[in-house]
Amino acid sequence: MKKVELLAPAGDLERLKIACLYGADAIYMGGYKYSLRANAKNFSIDNIKEAVEFAHNLKKKIYITVNILFHNDDLEGLEEYLKELDSIGVDAIIASDIIVFEIINRLRLNLEMHLSTQASTLNSKSALVFKNLGIKRVVLAREASREDIISIKKNTGLDIEHFIQGAMCTAFSGHCVLSNTLTNRDSNRGACAQICRWEFDKDDNKFSITPKDLNQVENIKDMIDIGVNSFKVEGRMRSVYYIATVIGVYRKIIDKILDNTLTEGKMSYYLDVINRCANRESTPQFYKGLPTEKEQYFLGRQEESNQDFLGIVLDYDDENKLVTLEERNYFKNGMVGEFISPNNATFEYKIHTIYDEDGKQIEVANHPKMIVKLPLDKKVNKNDILRLKVFDKDSYL
Amino acid sequence: MAYHLVQRKMQVNNILLTVTDKELLKKVQDCTFLFPLEGFCVGYEQCFKISEIKISNAYILINRILDDKDLNVLENILKSIPNNISGIIFEDLGVLELINELNLNVKKIYYMIHNGLNYQSINEYLKMVDSVIISSDITKEEINEILDKTNKPCIIYTFGLNDLMYSRRTLLSNFDRYHNLEIKRVSDITEPINNYKFKVMENDFGTIFYSGKYYYNKDLMLHKNILYNWVNPLFLDTDIVVELVSRIINNQDLDNLNIELDNTFLNKKSIVNIKEVIK
């Protein structure tokens, strides 16, 4: 069976663990230095160590983004940082600044080198320049088409990592300083203010350059066939629920493609689940050609936030058949939800009785993070999720 | 006469001037000319075929991110590149690989307008190329330190609109199509909160957002480690460009030329962490 990698983002340890449990093969994350999400929580060196141990125990990999574009002042401490990452067993570094590769090579560190999407690789020859420097994998520009992927794979022999889900920059990555211009926040050092989501004036009209999100559900099979090695989900700032849902769904899609059991009905269901969770419209963007006006927003970005994430399982009491849940969004008796799990099939659950932490019966769970207990005959596991049932899976079959 | 009181300004004798109008070739002397290559540039109204470039010691500019098909087309063009082309400035490193494969006898110059931000990285690239264009996104002090510490002479962006964003999307025509407007490929766009004006230009290969005002890095023009001072006078009338170049050569200010300047990037360090903004 062909081996492909599902690569998940993680903004902190909780999300990293969820991503691992819900089916990611590898996790990418920013360390406390030099990452393009300077305002995310990011990981201390101790956090990274814990992440590596947790992931390696599950036979999963950890990639650290060292993907800022370095200014003179940023260079101090870079060697030491890379040595630290090497010593704790990080599997690979994702970078685009050549100085990172130079240091890893010069110090003979045991870190695999992946060329970041910040390098905007769209052709074989530019990838070969970096292959000569020792990179093993290229994260293609989000602008890469199917044809580009085939050509680069064929001509370079490099591992190909490509984005399949998440937000898009309007610009080629690394080729935008609109944020620096309007807010002084450095987009190429992790402080992007997302100016491409702002509104502009053009003549008498409101002008927008905001792209819709990326979603490659319909192309995963084709991408496996043409040799993409790693399927990358964007979103180091995204929630636990988003990570669990999106990674869980892509895991199922990939596995079902590989064992030839993915039906059109299941695919439609997965697509609806992802779209609902992502809150924004999404398209395959550049995969089959240049995006047109249909792949952009012109009347503001329509985000339909929902409160589907009802709670996360903390524990299950086998003897009393009670699940302990940490509430995340309001729910009450009579609502119909479903439990999703990394290991078990999704099943419907009608909420009929809610107990508070002291065992007192209540009608509603309405305080974020309150602990409640629900009677449930079927065993669930820690980190399973209760969400509102929106789609009837059976109706897609 | 008190000659010692007459402080004669040194001349800038290494100008690389983008050809925005063929008339410049007749009207401007003492410059090396840079020709945006037709089909391989974004953000330039006036582009040239190789066969149109007759002047000696000419440079060509390729500022697009290219795919393999583009590189195949480029290969056919570069195979028969004439001797009067002295150098190629490229943004995509695939072009470097192509130049090496074709064993072309040209100066290889890497256009690092957003990634030429530190001297160590630039020195790594200088092992592969003859020179680089240092980023215009950083401060005067940062550029100066780079110039002091790089192993070969580099090019600085001395005058022009700042290239602020490069998208593969055709953002102007997408907008016009959506609103059923007549398609215009050059436009003035305003960001209303800051009242910041952009000049936006697109072609079939993408869109560039330029600053609305011009950048003039006058203080570093005479640094000894500069191969060229690049003057990129987009959207200016030819006569103004002629006067502008004369002023730059003579290391003068640009007063009374009706050119609005904005040197924010040169004078203000960018911020990495939002907490710094609050301070």
Side-chain angles (χ1 to χ4, degrees), chain A residues 71-98:
Chain A
H71 288 220
N72 295 331
D73 290 347
D74 301 319
L75 295 167
E76 198 183 327
L78 175 60
E79 277 196 20
E80 290 312 309
Y81 181 61
L82 292 170
K83 280 186 204 167
E84 269 184 311
L85 296 178
D86 184 46
S87 71
I88 59 178
V90 164
D91 295 284
I93 296 298
I94 304 173
S96 70
D97 198 314
I98 195 170

Side-chain angles (χ1 to χ4, degrees), chain A residues 65-288:
Chain A
T65 55
V66 187
N67 55 350
I68 65 162
L69 294 176
F70 288 77
H71 288 220
N72 295 331
D73 290 347
D74 301 319
L75 295 167
E76 198 183 327
L78 175 60
E79 277 196 20
E80 290 312 309
Y81 181 61
L82 292 170
K83 280 186 204 167
E84 269 184 311
L85 296 178
D86 184 46
S87 71
I88 59 178
V90 164
D91 295 284
I93 296 298
I94 304 173
S96 70
D97 198 314
I98 195 170
I99 195 60
V100 177
F101 303 135
E102 189 276 331
I103 292 170
I104 291 172
N105 284 332
R106 177 163 44 80
L107 300 179
R108 296 174 189 274
L109 302 181
N110 195 28
L111 293 164
E112 199 169 284
M113 298 186 290
H114 296 177
L115 181 62
S116 166
T117 193
Q118 288 288 105
S120 296
T121 306
L122 267 194
N123 65 69
S124 310
K125 291 186 194 303
S126 62
L128 286 172
V129 170
F130 287 96
K131 187 180 182 183
N132 291 336
L133 299 173
I135 66 148
K136 290 280 183 289
R137 175 185 288 191
V138 55
V139 189
L140 297 180
R142 286 178 175 88
E143 289 77 2
S145 67
R146 179 180 191 273
E147 221 175 320
D148 297 329
I149 297 170
I150 293 170
S151 184
I152 294 167
K153 181 75 186 174
K154 181 177 150 222
N155 294 325
T156 68
L158 287 164
D159 272 7
I160 302 289
E161 180 176 310
H162 201 39
F163 280 96
I164 55 170
Q165 179 72 39
M168 297 283 290
C169 288
T170 300
F172 278 107
S173 293
H175 292 74
C176 177
V177 288
L178 291 177
S179 173
N180 308 43
T181 307
L182 293 179
T183 67
N184 202 29
R185 287 168 53 176
D186 197 328
S187 50
N188 289 324
R189 290 193 292 171
C192 180
Q194 301 200 319
I195 306 301
C196 57
R197 272 62 179 160
W198 290 21
E199 205 172 58
F200 303 87
D201 294 331
K202 176 179 179 279
D203 304 323
D204 295 327
N205 295 301
K206 290 293 173 197
F207 181 70
S208 165
I209 58 173
T210 309
K212 293 178 183 173
D213 280 6
L214 174 70
N215 177 321
Q216 294 281 24
V217 166
E218 68 182 65
N219 295 314
I220 297 295
K221 183 178 183 321
D222 188 48
M223 289 169 79
I224 293 173
D225 291 343
I226 65 174
V228 173
N229 303 87
S230 179
F231 294 78
K232 184 172 201 166
V233 172
E234 178 273 347
R236 281 187 273 155
M237 312 278 269
R238 302 274 195 166
S239 69
V240 163
Y241 177 59
Y242 179 88
I243 301 289
T245 305
V246 171
I247 295 301
V249 167
Y250 274 110
R251 176 80 273 151
K252 288 189 175 78
I253 291 172
I254 290 170
D255 289 349
K256 286 184 191 305
I257 288 169
L258 293 177
D259 68 15
N260 211 19
T261 57
L262 183 65
T263 61
E264 274 186 34
K266 281 177 187 161
M267 195 142 95
S268 304
Y269 170 69
Y270 293 143
L271 188 57
D272 282 346
V273 170
I274 285 184
N275 283 340
R276 170 97 185 162
C277 176
N279 298 335
R280 297 199 290 259
E281 289 180 72
S282 57
T283 82
Q285 294 288 351
F286 288 85
Y287 192 70
K288 288 180 179 164

Side-chain angles (χ1 to χ4, degrees), chain A residues 96-102 105 115 125-135, chain B residues 88 90 92-101 103-104 106-112 115 120-132 151-153:
Chain A
S96 70
D97 198 314
I98 195 170
I99 195 60
V100 177
F101 303 135
E102 189 276 331
N105 284 332
L115 181 62
K125 291 186 194 303
S126 62
L128 286 172
V129 170
F130 287 96
K131 187 180 182 183
N132 291 336
L133 299 173
I135 66 148
Chain B
I88 300 177
F90 50 83
D92 191 315
L93 285 172
V95 180
L96 170 64
E97 192 75 359
L98 180 60
I99 294 171
N100 289 339
E101 282 173 16
N103 201 18
L104 299 182
V106 291
K107 278 206 168 67
K108 296 174 277 194
I109 296 171
Y110 184 26
Y111 179 94
M112 301 181 75
N115 61 342
Q120 287 189 22
S121 300
I122 289 175
N123 276 332
E124 284 308 304
Y125 282 114
L126 287 173
K127 293 174 185 169
M128 304 182 217
V129 299
D130 297 293
S131 186
V132 306
N151 298 331
K152 291 179 187 172

Side-chain angles (χ1 to χ4, degrees), chain A residues 71 97 124 151 177 186 296, chain B residues 68 121 142 164 167 174 190 270:
Chain A
H71 288 220
D97 198 314
S124 310
S151 184
V177 288
D186 197 328
Q296 276 182 243
Chain B
D68 279 344
S121 300
E142 288 175 301
L164 301 177
S167 175
N174 283 357
T190 305
S270 60

